[in-house]
Amino acid sequence: MKKPTGIVGEFYDLLESPQNSLVELAASQGRIPVAYSCSFVPEPLLMADRLFPLRLHAPGVAGTEIADNYMSLYICSYTRSILEFAFDDRYDLVQGWVCVPSCAHMQRLFDNLRYLKNPAFTHTIDVPQKATPHTTAWLAEELAILRDRITEHFGVDMSDASLRKAMNEWNEFVREIKAVGDLRKKENPPLTGAEFHAMLMAALVSPKDLILPLIRKFREEVEHRPGTGNHRARLMVVGGHLQDPEFIRVIESQGGIVVADRFCTGSIAEMMPVDVNGSDPVMALAEHTFRKTLCPRMMEDFDRRLNMIIDTVREYRVDGVVLEVIKFCDHWGLEAVPLVEALRKEGIPVLRLEREYRLSSEGQLSTRVQAFLESMGK
Amino acid sequence: MTVHDIAARIKSRFIGLKEPAGYSFHNSIAGFALESRRPGDILIYAKYWLLIWGSILKFGGRLLLKKGPVGTIRVLVNYSWLFPLLRITQFMSRISHGRKGAYLESTCLVTHAMVVGLLQTLEKAIYDPEHLLVQSYMLPTEIGRAMGLNVWFLELLGIPLPFVKHDYMDKYIDEAENLGINPDACSSPKSVMGMASKGKLPKSSVVVGTNLPCEAGAGVYSYIQQKWGVPVYRLDVPTKFYEERADKLFVEDLKGMIAFLEKHTPGRMEWDRLRDICTARNRMMELELELWDMMRARPAPLAAEAVFLSHLFHFYWLPGDPLGVRLFEKLVNLAKENLRTKTPAVENERHRAVVWNPPFPHYTDLVNILERRYGITCLMDSMSYHHHPFIDTSTPETMLRDLGNIIMQGPMVRHTRGPVENFTDDIFRAYKQFDLDMIIVANHMSCKNSHSAIGILREKCRKESIPLLVVDYDLMDARIVSQDNMLQQVDHFMENVMKAQRIGH
């Protein structure tokens, strides 16, 4: 594939290394990268004072031999790739690791990380699996514990005022992302799904304040672009952690365009502003975490997840849904059964794809997408 | 078709019958008598064989009387899994090979108690469906029973059915995979999904699920909710269950469950009834701890199914039931008898082991084979090994708190939640407590949780010079790893690591 040029090319550059040039720049200025791997970690909390959140990814991972030894081959390749990179010291700038044991794979990733590398700061947030007033209070307590531990360990300002400032910065960031994302609602969207995802992933693996100017520039550019042309179908991608924009590019290579993304590293639901007007910013973050994260681990949220997809399909005039499930993920593997049935009942065509973390079998992927488009009569 | 063809066909049918007939004979009273040749043991075996068949016939007779012929046929069609369960005495025979005296009796006793418990609960499900509550096997049944409900575990049949017919769940696993479940998911939720899809499970008007023990186990409840169209309450066990604040959170959740059940079922909470059940449960636990204490002796007076099955069926399913109390009283007496006469459960006890993870449902003979072939006594398993508190029955609040702790810190729950130390340290604790000299991990292929902890466990075992045998297998699907292959894994380990000689077949 020919590497994109211009601003999109810059986004791709930022995705080439687990610690990109913006992370290096921020670290050299004395700022503190804190790594996380799951959407249940509230990013605004890690944006306070000198901290910045860094979503873990393992670009270009070639093999996971050491991780396979410890975690076995039957574990999701995302977590194995992260462990492999950690073992190879590819995250040497990271000063803190925050884990949410949202699944067995995530829990054991951090167990093995602690066992093999023993980082100076690790913390586990226990996020309940259903949202009630009691569990929201529990999550707020959990976040307060994390806040206190960070204050003690890094000596940073995690006061309410500092948190509110970080939450405002988050909201500003979200506004920019949403402004770009909304352009995809147009009849003829001015950007492809791959371009949008490259921008979003680059933002997740960079300090938000440093990448924001680039995002603004990108928004200005695409606002003045003509549409990307006629497309066979408008698609929505649904699923778990998806890092590589190339996955979306391969889907789009068959003539469709991805206009909506409801996955962990996507924008819909995930990129939601946090309420800064409440009396307790930590409680606001707890509520925000439950509201924005639509993961199948939330046991009683099936209808909310389903309705969110159906609403998005209508809002973005989606023709078909591509459900991507990373291999060995039981959350999505089990969810897929009732979800696919319910979506088909609503008359929404669904293509279910099983994939690995690293993009592979491009030919097979293209063929399946092509067949899917044809089955929709597109 | 010529007469010759017909004769050839009949002959081939008879030849085909030779193997199952031999198998049936081998596992009958006569087969046992031929192998054992000890009148006392033959009497024990025959007694339980008759008791089990007596219970089955009683169940059948009552069914016919209460439901009539048409109703009976309907039950047998809906619950066609009752037919393979008729092989239960074959299962008893397979796990009794080579066992004698009190140890043999304990094996037969737990099998009989399992049958009685199963049939009693099934009768309630058939005759009183309004009071039926289907719930997760990771939750104790005390609360439902105290509310006057008959509790049935959604996942229950995944245990006894592979016991009696190793490939019985295959068709349901295939059904679930055809529905779209990921093939690498655990075969327990897969078989639940397959059985529900085929309409083979007792169905209640509400269901109580949980986030235990794993993602697949919890995820199956979304399918059930959609398939059955019934309300589902889900209990949410925190990961940091060992913290005191978790008690409060979980008690609130239990109260939510009680309110849910009172709203959707005819059940009403009777705190005095709960107190009685909890008191009896405490008594059962006292007896179980006494049994465990005796099993620390070398050689152990009882082992294997006497520990595994008694806990699995009576602490998970029928805690505090008079049947369970009686069972544990008898087990304690049998262990005492062996201790007094200095009779080992396993003749030639050469190695003492813990079996971590559920012990091989589709290959239940393996533990028996380990005994006879290498003198390995399996003393404990992860599903039985608990550190439960005794339930403080003074107030409803204390009962809920302690029941909550039993759930949160129960076997498998604490192993699959929280840091890896919850998994590894417990194994080492059992290793010390029972004076063991090897660890066997029943490495269920689709259990992501234990798979991803094996690397750490292996290194920790090396550091402590503890022999670790990891047997790769699938919980209910013998097509993933065959029984032969499992046995080979054992043989290779015993020959190459333990340098052990075979002492039997």
Side-chain angles (χ1 to χ4, degrees):
Chain A
M1 172 244 169
K2 198 179 151 201
K3 196 183 150 195
T5 52
I7 301 175
V8 178
E10 288 181 52
F11 291 139
Y12 269 83
D13 286 344
L14 291 172
L15 289 174
E16 272 183 1
S17 152
Q19 300 173 142
N20 61 36
S21 54
L22 295 180
V23 173
E24 284 171 358
L25 176 68
S28 70
Q29 291 167 346
R31 294 177 64 188
I32 303 162
V34 179
Y36 72 101
S37 58
C38 176
S39 303
F40 280 101
V41 174
E43 282 192 288
L45 186 83
L46 303 180
M47 287 166 68
D49 200 8
R50 288 182 292 128
L51 302 177
F52 69 92
L54 177 63
R55 186 147 194 149
L56 285 165
H57 69 146
V61 61
T64 53
E65 291 79 9
I66 293 166
D68 295 350
N69 264 330
Y70 284 92
M71 295 183 79
S72 100
L73 282 165
Y74 306 105
I75 295 299
C76 116
S77 47
Y78 171 57
T79 52
R80 278 187 284 138
S81 303
I82 299 299
L83 185 66
E84 191 75 19
F85 266 36
F87 197 80
D88 286 345
D89 291 329
R90 301 285 301 273
Y91 306 113
D92 59 331
L93 298 176
V94 168
Q95 294 186 42
W97 301 75
V98 178
C99 156
V100 170
S102 43
C103 60
H105 313 253
M106 290 289 181
Q107 173 68 59
R108 294 292 185 239
L109 161 65
F110 279 83
D111 284 334
N112 280 285
L113 178 80
R114 279 190 294 118
Y115 177 74
L116 291 167
K117 302 301 288 182
N118 197 18
F121 182 88
T122 56
H123 187 84
T124 299
I125 309 173
D126 181 0
V127 180
Q129 289 184 249
K130 63 180 184 183
T132 66
H134 292 294
T135 57
T136 310
W138 167 278
L139 181 56
E141 247 176 78
E142 281 289 297
L143 298 182
I145 294 168
L146 172 62
R147 180 186 61 183
D148 295 346
R149 281 205 62 212
I150 286 176
T151 310
E152 193 186 331
H153 186 85
F154 295 111
V156 290
D157 177 12
M158 299 292 282
S159 62
D160 284 2
S162 175
L163 283 184
R164 279 210 173 84
K165 185 169 170 274
M167 285 151 71
N168 277 318
E169 283 169 13
W170 166 262
N171 288 351
E172 196 186 337
F173 166 75
V174 163
R175 265 195 300 277
E176 283 301 325
I177 297 286
K178 193 165 169 0
V180 182
D182 281 351
L183 295 171
R184 299 180 300 169
K185 289 181 189 168
K186 287 187 173 181
E187 185 66 38
N188 188 3
L191 76 168
T192 64
E195 286 177 325
F196 181 78
H197 191 52
M199 175 202 71
L200 189 55
M201 267 313 296
L204 291 174
V205 299
S206 306
K208 304 282 181 288
D209 55 327
L210 296 185
I211 200 169
L212 204 52
L214 205 59
I215 294 172
R216 284 199 185 110
K217 216 165 119 190
F218 180 60
R219 176 171 58 81
E220 281 159 20
E221 185 199 302
V222 290
E223 274 173 351
H224 295 98
R225 269 193 203 170
T228 48
N230 289 329
H231 298 283
R232 290 172 72 184
R234 296 166 70 89
L235 300 173
M236 175 180 186
V237 178
V238 172
H241 183 101
L242 174 60
Q243 171 228 338
D244 197 346
E246 280 302 283
F247 183 82
I248 309 248
R249 187 193 60 78
V250 175
I251 291 176
E252 292 181 325
S253 69
Q254 298 309 306
I257 184 164
V258 173
V259 294
D261 49 0
R262 216 247 42 79
F263 43 85
C264 301
T265 44
S267 67
I268 292 171
E270 289 293 332
M271 293 294 136
M272 195 181 266
V274 58
D275 177 18
V276 285
N277 300 319
S279 58
D280 180 1
V282 174
M283 179 54 90
L285 284 170
E287 288 164 353
H288 172 71
T289 303
F290 277 141
R291 210 172 44 243
K292 65 143 185 137
T293 315
L294 290 167
C295 174
R297 82 181 284 276
M298 297 306 287
M299 298 184 289
E300 296 184 341
D301 275 3
F302 178 79
D303 288 343
R304 195 164 79 91
R305 289 191 291 273
L306 174 66
N307 292 333
M308 168 65 87
I309 296 172
I310 294 169
D311 292 347
T312 308
V313 163
R314 289 183 186 137
E315 195 181 348
Y316 286 75
R317 283 165 287 128
V318 168
D319 297 309
V321 168
V322 177
L323 175 62
E324 53 88 12
V325 178
I326 198 160
K327 197 164 169 56
F328 302 120
C329 175
D330 284 338
H331 275 322
W332 279 103
L334 269 282
E335 174 93 344
V337 179
L339 187 65
V340 170
E341 199 182 324
L343 288 173
R344 287 189 179 146
K345 253 186 206 161
E346 287 288 319
I348 300 169
V350 188
L351 167 66
R352 180 181 167 173
L353 293 172
E354 193 176 66
R355 65 177 190 89
E356 291 287 1
Y357 172 65
R358 189 178 55 163
L359 180 65
S360 55
S361 313
E362 280 185 50
Q364 199 182 26
L365 176 60
S366 309
T367 309
R368 293 207 55 198
V369 173
Q370 191 180 17
F372 179 54
L373 295 179
E374 281 166 16
S375 74
M376 290 194 290
K378 298 287 178 182
Chain B
M1 192 179 279
T2 63
V3 175
H4 183 74
D5 289 341
I6 295 169
R9 192 167 284 187
I10 293 170
K11 190 181 168 192
S12 73
R13 284 281 160 87
F14 273 104
I15 291 169
L17 282 175
K18 197 179 160 192
E19 201 179 325
Y23 179 78
S24 297
F25 176 77
H26 186 63
N27 290 312
S28 66
I29 297 180
F32 184 86
L34 267 181
E35 185 198 293
S36 164
R37 293 165 198 262
R38 287 177 302 275
D41 290 344
I42 297 167
L43 276 177
I44 290 171
Y45 187 83
K47 173 184 151 191
Y48 285 98
W49 194 95
L50 290 168
L51 281 172
I52 287 171
W53 274 103
S55 303
I56 293 171
L57 291 174
K58 201 164 94 183
F59 169 82
R62 239 185 335 229
L63 185 65
L64 203 58
L65 273 176
K66 287 200 173 184
K67 289 277 177 185
V70 177
T72 302
I73 290 169
R74 195 174 294 143
V75 168
L76 294 178
V77 169
N78 285 343
Y79 302 150
S80 52
W81 40 264
L82 281 167
F83 293 104
L85 281 179
L86 295 176
R87 299 172 177 216
I88 190 73
T89 47
Q90 293 182 0
F91 160 75
M92 184 171 83
S93 162
R94 280 189 279 118
I95 61 171
S96 296
H97 284 312
R99 293 182 183 173
K100 295 172 188 168
Y103 188 34
L104 171 69
E105 182 156 9
S106 73
T107 307
C108 298
L109 183 66
V110 291
T111 311
H112 174 242
M114 179 175 81
V115 172
V116 173
L118 187 68
L119 294 179
Q120 270 179 9
T121 317
L122 185 60
E123 281 192 334
K124 288 177 187 168
I126 293 169
Y127 305 139
D128 187 8
E130 273 185 20
H131 284 80
L132 183 66
L133 167 64
V134 173
Q135 71 167 52
S136 159
Y137 74 119
M138 288 277 103
L139 302 173
T141 59
E142 289 90 334
I143 294 176
R145 284 162 49 218
M147 295 180 75
L149 300 171
N150 308 315
V151 181
W152 182 272
F153 288 153
L154 186 68
E155 304 83 356
L156 176 79
L157 294 169
I159 302 293
L161 285 171
F163 280 5
V164 292
K165 193 169 185 305
H166 77 278
D167 58 355
Y168 189 74
M169 303 314 278
D170 292 1
K171 59 187 169 204
Y172 298 116
I173 291 169
D174 292 347
E175 168 74 9
E177 289 183 9
N178 289 338
L179 287 170
I181 192 173
N182 46 326
D184 53 82
C186 173
S187 43
S188 171
K190 276 197 287 195
S191 45
V192 167
M193 197 182 263
M195 291 191 91
S197 166
K198 294 271 188 192
K200 297 292 178 192
L201 293 176
K203 194 176 152 186
S204 61
S205 56
V206 292
V207 171
V208 177
T210 171
N211 56 344
L212 308 171
C214 60
E215 291 98 79
V220 77
Y221 285 83
S222 287
Y223 173 76
I224 294 293
Q225 187 163 19
Q226 195 188 53
K227 176 81 186 165
W228 289 359
V230 296
V232 177
Y233 189 91
R234 291 160 172 101
L235 283 159
D236 184 8
V237 174
T239 303
K240 295 182 180 173
F241 53 80
Y242 39 79
E243 291 181 10
E244 214 177 298
R245 64 199 177 102
D247 291 356
K248 285 184 197 153
L249 181 72
F250 199 64
V251 164
E252 289 305 322
D253 213 0
L254 287 174
K255 287 178 182 169
M257 180 188 93
I258 294 167
F260 170 86
L261 290 175
E262 289 193 334
K263 184 179 168 194
H264 293 283
T265 71
R268 293 293 170 266
M269 188 41 140
E270 296 277 349
W271 293 105
D272 288 338
R273 197 187 294 158
L274 181 64
R275 184 169 293 111
D276 292 344
I277 294 172
C278 291
T279 305
R281 185 193 203 283
N282 285 343
R283 173 68 187 139
M284 262 171 68
M285 204 168 84
E286 241 173 50
L287 292 163
E288 188 183 51
L289 294 179
E290 195 182 342
L291 178 67
W292 288 7
D293 208 37
M294 287 188 277
M295 279 162 42
R296 296 170 67 180
R298 266 184 189 264
L302 287 188
E305 289 79 12
V307 183
F308 312 158
L309 287 187
S310 59
H311 190 89
L312 191 64
F313 278 87
H314 299 279
F315 271 91
Y316 280 87
W317 197 14
L318 296 165
D321 189 272
L323 178 74
V325 179
R326 281 200 304 276
L327 171 72
F328 276 96
E329 280 169 354
K330 285 180 186 168
L331 288 174
V332 165
N333 288 336
L334 290 169
K336 277 181 184 164
E337 187 187 322
N338 265 357
L339 265 188
R340 186 179 52 79
T341 56
K342 294 189 176 145
T343 309
V346 176
E347 275 186 351
N348 299 312
E349 177 181 296
R350 296 191 175 184
H351 307 282
R352 294 160 66 90
V354 60
V355 180
W356 211 251
N357 290 350
F360 319 113
H362 74 72
Y363 194 15
T364 40
D365 320 26
L366 188 60
V367 168
N368 185 286
I369 293 171
L370 293 178
E371 288 175 3
R372 288 181 288 129
R373 193 176 276 208
Y374 295 107
I376 299 173
T377 309
C378 296
L379 287 162
M380 185 48 64
D381 74 302
S382 64
M383 292 289 284
S384 309
Y385 192 52
H386 64 80
H387 325 297
H388 291 333
F390 284 98
I391 297 170
D392 178 351
T393 56
S394 46
T395 65
E397 204 69 25
T398 58
M399 286 191 280
L400 287 183
R401 182 200 62 205
D402 291 344
L403 281 169
N405 268 312
I406 286 172
I407 300 172
M408 293 194 291
Q409 298 180 22
M412 219 160 146
V413 180
R414 66 177 187 280
H415 304 141
T416 54
R417 298 185 71 68
V420 73
E421 289 76 15
N422 290 354
F423 177 80
T424 53
D425 291 4
D426 228 27
I427 299 179
F428 296 128
R429 189 169 162 173
Y431 183 85
K432 279 187 191 138
Q433 185 175 344
F434 293 97
D435 191 15
L436 307 177
D437 46 37
M438 66 183 286
I439 293 167
I440 300 171
V441 171
N443 200 27
H444 175 28
M445 299 296 278
S446 48
C447 179
K448 277 83 179 181
N449 225 303
S450 52
H451 248 284
S452 46
I454 290 291
I456 295 175
L457 177 67
R458 193 185 294 122
E459 291 194 355
K460 285 188 173 182
C461 281
R462 271 187 206 141
K463 216 176 270 175
E464 301 288 328
S465 302
I466 298 172
L468 170 70
L469 164 59
V470 179
V471 182
D472 286 336
Y473 86 117
D474 186 276
L475 197 64
M476 287 165 199
D477 193 343
R479 296 168 298 181
I480 307 295
V481 180
S482 69
Q483 295 183 348
D484 274 354
N485 187 308
M486 288 165 69
L487 196 51
Q488 272 174 23
Q489 293 178 55
V490 173
D491 285 340
H492 289 163
F493 178 84
M494 294 309 291
E495 285 161 22
N496 299 315
V497 178
M498 302 299 282
K499 310 289 180 203
Q501 296 291 318
R502 283 192 198 183
I503 54 171
H505 295 295

